[in-house]
Each structure stands twice: as structure tokens, then as C-alpha cells.
Amino acid sequence: MAGETPSRKRRFRRLKPSETHQGGTGPSDGARPSGEHPSALLPHGAGDDGRGPSASLEGLPREGEDRTGAAARRLAVVRQGVRKSGENARAAIGYLADRIIETAPRIPVRDLATLRRQFPGLGPEQLADKLVAGAANATATVGAGIGAAAMLPVPPAMPTELATEITGVAAIELKLIAELYEVYGQRPPGTLKERSSVYLATWSEERSIDVTRPSTYKNAALSGGLKRELRQQIMKRMIRNLPNLLPFMVGAAIGAVINRRDTRALAGRIRKDLRTRQVPWDALPALPPLEQPEHPLEPARPPRGLER
């Protein structure tokens, strides 16, 4: 209709040369060259409302930047994200290592005399079998509990669940390692903290330590080598325990199997080393009772529905 405002498409359509340059080389009065119009170079149908090609402009190079520069900028952003994720993962693993180091001296350990009273009539190998079976069942229960908690996985809670499982399994296996040293007549000398460093080194390296050479594990603890080995062991455990977070109770079954298998394998390697330096019970000197922690760590309780 005559006199109405032209439509959006007609208002922002590129002006024809006949309309912009009439009667001379310069622009006519009240008209601007098409190159100065803000929407002259936009595709047909794109207006002022921000829709259309505006979303695709994010991936285009900036003004004065070619495609190579844009690709380099995107690659730098990706590298920065990966680097930050790696730093966060290292910080989390370092925190777990500190927690395990703090927990180790608080784990109550039974000495040989106590174990022989609780399991009368058993020899060293039969007693060690009993200890390994009990520890394997305990770590399997922890794995099943974490898997049950992850039945409906919540991504923000998964790192906490993994950390809980690793610290719980580490406490059970450290107790097993300490009592295996007692069974095979290889009690580490020194204070409670010094013995704990032997158990930590054994757990992280997955092999027994020669207790007749205290300088080997004391120097490692002072130089930071023990914590480095702990971080590597925690990383391996986290990777192996990832299937425990599968939903619909699948992770519970997998967690129980994996933890039981890993505990038995760890105990088998340590027992093989301890047998080479085993001291028979009748040749053992009279040893004092083991020093117990002032604030012992409470044993992990299985979740409801998993008690046996």
C-alpha cells in the first residue's frame, strides 16, 4: 500500500546503482553508498534481531586474523583446558596421598601373639591365608558399596566416590600388610610412624621391604620418594576402579570382583618376598606388644543391605 513503511527485506536490500548514483559520480542527497550500509553485506534474510548467521560468526577468524591464526587460538584454548584439568587431577591425587599418609599410623595392627591367640593351631601359611581371605572380603564389600552408591551416577559425586573407595581399600590393605610382616617374623623396627612408612612403601611398591636395612625406607620417606610412589599407586587404582561407577548395580558387582582380585594379587606378591626372609616362630626373640595408636581408625562398615 502506498505510504507504508517498506518491509524489512526491502529496507535492508542492497541498493541498486541507479538509485545510489543518479546524475553524477558522488552519492545523491539522503542516500549512502551500499558499502557503508550496516546490513549491505549480510546474507539475504539476516536482520537486526541477531538471528541467522550470528551463531556461525563465533568460529570465524577475528578482524585482521586469517584461518591459521584462528586455528592456533582455538588450539591454545584447548591446551589451556587440558593443562588445567591435569593440574586439578594432580592436586586431587596429592590430597589423597596426604590422607593415606595421615591415616596409616591410626590403623590398629594385631601382633603375632594376638593373632596366634585368635587363630589357634594354625601355622604361618594357614594364618596368612586367613588374613588374606578376610581382607579380600572386606575390600570386595567396599567396592560393592561404592558401586551401589553409583547406581544412579551423579557426575559431581564420582570423584568423591572414587576417593572414598581408594582410602577405604588402602586402610584394609595396609592393615593386612602390617600383620603379614608379623606372621613372617619381619616386624619393622622403630616407632609407630616409622613402621607405618614401611607399610606405606610396601603398599605403593607392591613388594616387601627389607626391614634389616632401615636406611632404604627412611631415606625414601625423607626425600619425597614415598609420596611420589603413593601418587603413582593411587593413579593406577583410580583407573582400575573406574568401572565401579557403572550404573544399575553393574558397578557393584564389578567393584567387588576387582577389589577382591587386586587384594589377593597384592598379598601374593608380598608373601612371596617375605618368605625369602622368613624367621620361624620358634627362632623369634621375645618381642614387646605392638604400640597402638592413640586415636585408632574405626573399621569401615558395609552399607545397609550388604552385611553378611
Side-chain angles (χ1 to χ4, degrees), residues 185-249:
Q186 294 289 308
R187 177 187 295 185
T191 63
L192 177 61
K193 188 174 183 179
E194 291 173 345
R195 291 197 304 272
S196 299
S197 64
V198 176
Y199 308 146
L200 286 169
T202 303
W203 184 77
S204 60
E205 298 179 10
E206 299 184 355
R207 63 179 181 84
S208 66
I209 305 298
D210 189 356
V211 297
T212 62
R213 300 168 57 189
S215 59
T216 56
Y217 54 85
K218 288 183 179 180
N219 292 338
L222 293 175
S223 63
L226 176 59
K227 191 172 182 179
R228 182 173 59 253
E229 295 290 339
L230 276 175
R231 287 196 295 263
Q232 295 176 357
Q233 179 68 6
I234 291 171
M235 175 62 75
K236 290 194 298 184
R237 290 297 181 105
M238 291 184 71
I239 294 174
R240 289 204 298 261
N241 292 348
L242 283 176
N244 300 6
L245 302 179
L246 291 176
F248 308 116
M249 296 300 291

Side-chain angles (χ1 to χ4, degrees), residues 16 40 54 69 91 107 141 199 253:
K16 297 181 180 180
S54 58
I107 299 174
T141 301
Y199 308 146

